[in-house]
Amino acid sequence: MVRFRPLDAWNDPRGGQIERIIIDNGTLAIEVLSLGGIIRSLWAPDNQGERGNIVLGCDSAQDYLTQDAHLGAIAGRYANRIAGARLSRDGQAFCLDNNHQDNCLHGGREGFNRKQWHIGQLSDGVRLSLFSPDGDMGFPGNANVQLDYRLVGNNLYVEILASTDKPCPISLTQHSYFNLEGASERSSLGHIIQSDSQHYLTTDEQGIPTDVTQVAGTPLDLSQGQSLASLKTALEAEPTRGIDHCYLTPNHDGKALSRFGTVSAPASGRRMTLYTNQPGVQIYGSNFLEGTLGKQGQRLASYQAVCVEPQQLPDAPNQAHLVGTPWLMPGEVYHHMSRYQFDLIK
């Protein structure tokens, strides 16, 4: 049985209130906000049978609106980077919000992470909905978005549907920062990450894809599992200062869920396995998180957590050779489905 516990609403400094609700199925529990579709807390059991929160978050609406790390939020209209903050299709050019270097990152400075979503209850979770008007952050078309968070056994399901009345790139991702040892731990560098992905995107110094490259023989080969510490050491001289790379999902067909890989924490024994129907997964080691305000007034640290973000590929709307379906057409339905399975290291 799934239990629901509404919490006291937060005041939105921009006006109105932000709803908060806890969903608990006895194995997993999540706290969801109507602000940004944010998962503020996610409780999962460790190898002692004790449930603990494993995602980073904030203590007020103001704190969420002040930070730009997208803690626990839905990133969109288009997750990751669009080069030059520009799009073109059918002879028409679109100027997007330029909010990161020369690019549009995660939909712009007023992306979906800062929007007030409508929230309702399902039998096993919650449904959030959002309307994004034509021209929002420069993106064409009126977009309607539906987001479901559901708890089933030891799984968190994230399902996102969207439609638009003009051709528009849409790619939405859940941007939680995971520390499977516990959200209060100051480092995730001991975590082990494994993936059967055989390819990743090489990028320029601003994170724009330049090629699809095999992982074999590179420091980014995760097939046998690597610690985030070893990835940090191998990549700290790069502009990313650690892992911040998009991997191609193995066995991707755009419909069925494919296993991407696992993140595991040796001390707590927690393991998270991601299954997704998205063509790519960005892995980000929170390399630039330093100083972001978290819970209880604590400043978060770089490398304190890891993001595992299923998505369409970065800048794919401008690079037609990249796999996936980054452009959504009128009459079509965008469908993102991801399953996060939580269990223990055997």
Side-chain angles (χ1 to χ4, degrees):
M1 176 185 293
V2 176
R3 294 179 172 85
F4 299 87
R5 181 160 63 95
L7 302 175
D8 291 340
W10 284 347
N11 289 324
D12 187 333
R14 305 167 299 180
Q17 291 192 313
I18 291 165
E19 296 179 75
R20 306 161 57 211
I21 188 168
I22 290 178
I23 306 106
D24 188 341
N25 74 348
T27 302
L28 302 176
I30 56 174
E31 179 186 345
V32 178
L33 309 182
S34 60
L35 172 65
I38 288 169
I39 295 178
R40 179 174 178 254
S41 302
L42 193 166
W43 295 272
D46 64 11
N47 52 17
Q48 303 301 310
E50 298 293 327
R51 288 203 302 186
N53 176 37
I54 56 171
V55 297
L56 306 185
C58 298
D59 277 338
S60 70
Q62 182 63 61
D63 289 350
Y64 274 110
L65 292 169
T66 299
Q67 55 87 28
D68 60 3
H70 293 76
L71 292 174
I74 295 296
R77 276 190 202 193
Y78 201 90
N80 217 315
R81 294 157 179 83
I82 294 180
R86 296 183 65 84
L87 296 168
S88 62
R89 187 178 181 92
D90 300 328
Q92 188 172 5
F94 302 94
C95 294
L96 308 179
D97 184 62
N98 182 338
N99 66 323
H100 187 265
Q101 297 172 320
D102 299 322
N103 312 306
C104 181
L105 175 67
H106 292 330
R109 71 196 71 196
E110 291 290 335
F112 287 3
N113 62 304
R114 295 174 60 86
K115 306 293 190 187
Q116 176 69 285
W117 296 57
H118 296 285
I119 187 167
Q121 189 171 308
L122 303 171
S123 61
D124 54 1
V126 290
R127 172 166 293 171
L128 298 99
S129 59
L130 178 69
F131 173 73
S132 175
D134 185 15
D136 191 4
M137 295 291 101
F139 286 91
N142 295 296
N144 288 284
V145 184
Q146 175 181 293
L147 163 67
D148 290 353
Y149 292 131
R150 297 186 297 117
L151 299 181
V152 182
N154 61 335
N155 299 279
L156 166 64
Y157 283 87
V158 177
E159 184 171 19
I160 313 173
L161 304 177
S163 62
T164 180
D165 59 4
K166 293 181 182 178
C168 181
I170 291 187
S171 175
L172 308 177
T173 195
Q174 221 299 323
H175 205 290
S176 282
Y177 286 72
F178 294 95
N179 188 316
L180 300 183
E181 301 291 14
S184 61
E185 294 295 320
R186 297 294 288 171
S187 173
S188 64
L189 291 175
H191 286 45
I192 305 297
I193 188 160
Q194 186 278 332
S195 175
D196 294 330
S197 174
Q198 298 178 16
H199 297 88
Y200 74 100
L201 299 180
T202 53
T203 66
D204 65 16
E205 66 279 359
Q206 293 194 8
I208 303 302
T210 56
D211 202 0
V212 178
T213 303
Q214 290 192 347
V215 299
T218 76
L220 290 160
D221 186 348
L222 304 178
S223 58
Q224 301 303 308
Q226 282 201 63
S227 70
L228 289 170
S230 67
L231 288 164
K232 175 179 179 290
T233 298
L235 300 167
E236 61 187 351
E238 302 294 324
T240 57
R241 287 177 21 193
I243 191 165
D244 188 10
H245 294 75
C246 189
Y247 286 79
L248 272 58
T249 304
N251 305 312
H252 168 72
D253 67 4
K255 298 178 182 178
L257 296 184
S258 300
R259 179 189 181 278
F260 174 75
T262 64
V263 180
S264 56
S268 71
R270 292 187 183 98
R271 177 174 59 188
M272 180 179 76
T273 305
L274 172 65
Y275 302 83
T276 187
N277 69 348
Q278 295 299 287
V281 176
Q282 184 87 9
I283 301 174
Y284 172 51
S286 61
N287 314 334
F288 299 94
L289 192 61
E290 186 75 35
T292 301
L293 188 60
K295 291 182 179 179
Q296 299 176 331
Q298 184 183 58
R299 295 288 174 176
L300 301 174
S302 293
Y303 312 105
Q304 186 170 342
V306 60
C307 301
V308 185
E309 312 164 36
Q311 59 190 241
Q312 297 289 324
L313 302 188
D315 201 40
N318 292 320
Q319 300 193 38
H321 63 281
L322 295 176
V323 298
T325 51
W327 283 91
L328 184 69
M329 307 301 290
E332 297 178 344
V333 176
Y334 167 89
H335 185 212
H336 173 146
M337 173 70 86
S338 293
R339 174 166 71 93
Y340 301 78
Q341 175 182 296
F342 297 90
D343 58 10
L344 299 175
I345 302 169
K346 307 300 183 188

